[in-house]
Amino acid sequence: MDDLDRNILGLLGADARMSVAVLARRLKVARSTIQARLERLETTGIIAGYTVKLGEAGRQGRLRASVLITIEPRAQAAILTRLKSVAEVERVFTTSGRFDLLLQISAPNTQVLDQVLDEIGAMTGVRSSESLIHLSTKIDRAI
């Protein structure tokens, strides 16, 4: 990846609906150059897809939480398989330190969130969990 690729990604991160023509104009390169770069970024997996980033108004009415879990050795594959079937689990990250996994969860209400937390805590191989409920977003630079 070079500076042009990073600039394309930066512009698309701010507005994924930006057309090839607008990208070319803003970056002062030919449309064919932008099109070729986008195709390469997609085929190499740098761009995995184009999506909508919800603002605060779009996230209203949803409880969000981060859940830190410690698991038994060699239980990760089985736990990840089970977590994939839990619709409220949006993302799972491996971590360093005293926790093994970091989960991002979104639920419509406290009852569902409580059920999901109980389900995760009861999974075979989960030693312990700690949940942190998100209150408000102060900074969001995620692309």
Side-chain angles (χ1 to χ4, degrees):
M1 262 193 11
D2 62 11
D3 286 340
L4 179 56
D5 291 335
R6 283 187 278 282
N7 289 333
I8 291 169
L9 293 174
L11 289 172
L12 288 176
D15 181 3
R17 297 185 317 160
M18 192 174 294
S19 70
V20 171
V22 171
L23 283 167
R25 232 182 352 266
R26 293 227 179 125
L27 297 172
K28 297 177 177 49
V29 296
R31 287 181 80 248
S32 59
T33 300
I34 295 295
Q35 189 64 48
R37 292 294 184 111
L38 286 172
E39 288 172 13
R40 186 176 50 75
L41 290 167
E42 290 167 0
T43 58
T44 59
I46 292 171
I47 293 178
Y50 301 85
T51 186
V52 173
K53 180 180 173 185
L54 296 178
E56 274 304 312
R59 292 189 297 245
Q60 281 183 339
R62 302 283 299 170
L63 287 175
R64 298 179 54 93
S66 293
V67 180
L68 300 158
I69 64 174
T70 303
I71 61 176
E72 299 287 337
R74 294 183 270 297
Q76 182 172 310
I79 290 171
L80 288 174
T81 299
R82 282 178 289 212
L83 289 172
K84 286 178 186 175
S85 70
V86 181
E88 292 80 10
V89 176
E90 295 180 331
R91 289 188 177 97
V92 179
F93 304 94
T94 56
T95 64
S96 62
R98 65 185 182 116
F99 296 101
D100 299 302
L101 299 174
L102 168 70
L103 288 55
Q104 287 185 352
I105 299 191
S106 179
N109 55 52
T110 56
Q111 291 81 10
V112 173
L113 179 61
D114 193 38
Q115 289 170 355
V116 170
L117 294 174
D118 286 346
E119 184 178 349
I120 291 167
M123 287 181 182
T124 302
V126 172
R127 283 186 178 169
S128 66
S129 67
E130 183 175 330
S131 56
L132 306 156
I133 296 174
H134 302 194
L135 299 177
S136 65
T137 303
K138 302 299 184 186
I139 298 172
D140 184 356
R141 292 189 184 119
I143 293 179

